[in-house]
């Protein structure tokens, strides 16, 4: 019988993440690209702890590394700019830093993807929040409408792609005939079994 994972402790997870990052930095240097995953993990934990300054510092370091490795116009750079901009939106004292980051992220994403995709919609949403916080409801509405259009377009595309193609085959003359396709319902397993199977995976990602 599988053992349940220990109760999750945010402070313990953050301490482990700090230690793991310190080990990596001692091995490859503080600004090596292989540190990025550990930095993101620690930044996320700091955000969960309410340490937005600590998270912003890590995102700023990540942004500097990404720019040095991938250049200023890479989509990974844009994603990091959006994360950092979102953090700066949270306080009036740092909000002025958010706009150039979010607008820069959007420019990169529009060049890469056009007016489509989750990344573009998320950045437009972030700009809407920033405009609202700055007392610009018209600007907020404009950004929000653009984000909704992007997501609506995505939904239509996904709907078309997921529509099954009709297949020609023999007519079903009666239930239970040899032509009746077998049901796979019994092989799918319950949602509860699925969740139980993936508990260790979720735990490992969290930790």
């Amino acid at each position: 019988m599988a053992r349940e994972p220990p109760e999750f402790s945010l402070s313990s997870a953050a301490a482990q993440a700090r230690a793991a990052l310190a080990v990596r930095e001692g091995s490859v240097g503080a600004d090596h690209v292989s540190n990025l995953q550990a930095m993101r993990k620690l930044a996320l934990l700091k955000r969960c702890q309410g340490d937005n300054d600590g998270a912003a510092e890590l995102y700023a370091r990540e942004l500097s590394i990404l720019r040095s490795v991938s250049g200023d116009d890479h989509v990974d750079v844009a994603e990091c700019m959006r994360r950092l901009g979102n953090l700066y939106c949270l306080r009036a004292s740092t909000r002025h830093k958010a706009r150039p980051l979010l607008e820069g992220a959007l420019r990169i994403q529009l060049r890469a993807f056009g007016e489509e995709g989750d990344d573009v919609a998320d950045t437009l949403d972030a700009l809407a929040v920033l405009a609202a916080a700055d007392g610009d409801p018209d600007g907020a509405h404009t950004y929000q409408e653009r984000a909704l259009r992007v997501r609506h377009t995505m939904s239509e595309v996904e709907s078309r792609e997921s529509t099954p193609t009709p297949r020609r085959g023999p007519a079903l003359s009666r239930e239970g005939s040899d032509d009746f396709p077998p049901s796979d319902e019994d092989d799918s397993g319950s949602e509860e079994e699925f969740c139980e199977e993936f508990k260790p995976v979720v735990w490992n990602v969290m930790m």
Side-chain angles (χ1 to χ4, degrees):
M1 183 176 178
R3 187 179 65 177
E4 289 288 326
E7 184 178 353
F8 181 73
S9 167
L10 190 58
S11 59
S12 175
Q16 292 178 40
R18 279 193 299 272
L21 179 58
V23 169
R24 292 203 61 85
E25 290 175 338
S27 174
V28 299
D31 296 326
H32 197 274
V33 68
S34 64
N35 294 334
L36 293 181
Q37 184 175 0
M39 291 170 65
R40 290 177 194 139
K41 184 175 181 179
L42 180 55
L44 176 60
L45 289 165
K46 284 182 175 292
R47 289 193 66 176
C48 293
Q49 290 180 307
D51 182 7
N52 290 327
D53 288 340
E57 181 181 347
L58 286 164
Y59 285 148
R61 286 181 55 196
E62 178 189 353
L63 181 58
S64 176
I65 294 171
L66 284 171
R67 281 173 165 162
S68 68
V69 171
S70 304
D72 291 336
D73 296 325
H74 196 277
V75 292
D76 288 344
V77 170
E79 174 63 18
C80 186
M81 291 170 73
R82 183 177 63 79
R83 286 198 299 267
L84 184 55
N86 281 340
L87 272 180
Y88 285 150
C89 279
L90 296 177
R91 289 191 305 187
S93 61
T94 57
R95 203 169 290 147
H96 65 284
K97 300 180 181 180
R99 185 170 298 280
L101 287 166
L102 295 176
E103 290 179 344
L106 183 62
R107 282 194 297 271
I108 295 169
Q109 291 165 345
L110 290 175
R111 282 197 297 268
F113 308 121
E115 194 99 357
E116 59 184 39
D118 283 326
D119 291 337
V120 172
D122 288 344
T123 304
L124 288 168
D125 279 337
L127 282 162
V129 170
L130 177 61
D134 283 341
D136 179 13
D138 292 337
H141 179 76
T142 298
Y143 282 123
Q144 190 173 47
E145 285 293 309
R146 286 177 66 185
L148 287 171
R149 284 197 298 270
V150 170
R151 290 199 165 93
H152 179 69
T153 301
M154 290 168 53
S155 178
E156 288 184 331
V157 171
E158 290 170 359
S159 178
R160 288 196 299 269
E161 291 177 348
S162 63
T163 302
T165 303
R167 294 185 299 173
R168 295 184 179 275
L172 303 181
S173 59
R174 66 187 187 279
E175 185 177 355
S177 70
D178 292 339
D179 294 329
F180 195 84
S183 171
D184 59 358
E185 290 180 357
D186 294 337
D187 297 330
S188 62
S190 69
E191 182 177 339
E192 182 178 353
E193 289 171 344
F194 180 86
C195 292
E196 288 296 325
E197 179 182 353
F198 281 89
K199 266 187 179 180
V201 178
V202 175
W203 175 250
N204 287 336
V205 170
M206 290 174 64
M207 294 301 293

